[in-house]
Amino acid sequence: MILDAAAEVFAEQGYDRASMREIARVANITTPVLYDHFQSKVGLYMSTVELQANLLISEWQTNPESVTPEEVFNSTTRAFFLAVSRSDRTWQLLFADRPSAPEAVAVQQQIQSYATEALVAALHQLPVLAHPMAVSDERSYYALAEAIKGAGHSLIGWWQNNKDVPIDQIAALSELLLWKGLASMIVGPEVQHDECNEPGGKRNGRIV
């Protein structure tokens, strides 16, 4: 009840303008009772945003077994767009709100890092990827995760102002753009990665 009320108020007013008194009113409890559960606004904000992020990530992590890499990626992408489109709260809390308070900015950064980790885990479900960077494979996955996350955020932001376009079409556009790039890097499960690539971007893989 409290987290639901907090999500409503934070989504409508943003962190900076939201107050514990207003959240207590929406939750139909007194402000002292709210403070019994959450000692600070930022603590309540963290719990609220974490819940929304977990719900969103659980949507894209639910994939059927024994599917092709393309189906894994596309089902994950589609689940993300559909989940955000179903909830304005998710959009406002995770993407639209830009708090100025340092403690809230830290929460947002933590949540974005959490999302990046989830995307890296999803990328590890794909076959081995060849990349052009002279860095370890793991670092390249983080770079890819940030690129995918940024593209998704931008497309969802555009769709918020163009809702006459079906969300399925936005998801399909994202799948086409992003999967084409990832597919071009797939070299197959028979190639094993070394810890790092050779300088100049040449990949250290070996056929086994």
Side-chain angles (χ1 to χ4, degrees), residues 105-132:
V105 172
V107 170
Q108 283 286 349
Q109 291 172 340
Q110 181 178 335
I111 294 300
Q112 291 303 318
S113 295
Y114 182 30
T116 299
E117 293 288 347
L119 278 169
V120 169
L123 287 171
H124 276 296
Q125 296 180 46
L126 300 177
V128 174
L129 300 176
H131 59 83

Side-chain angles (χ1 to χ4, degrees), residues 56-88:
L56 178 58
I57 290 171
S58 68
E59 292 271 359
W60 84 49
Q61 287 181 333
T62 305
N63 289 312
E65 297 180 357
S66 302
V67 292
T68 67
E70 182 175 4
E71 289 170 334
V72 170
F73 180 82
N74 288 347
S75 64
T76 298
T77 300
R78 191 167 297 270
F80 166 79
F81 283 103
L82 291 177
V84 175
S85 70
R86 287 195 298 264
S87 173
D88 284 338

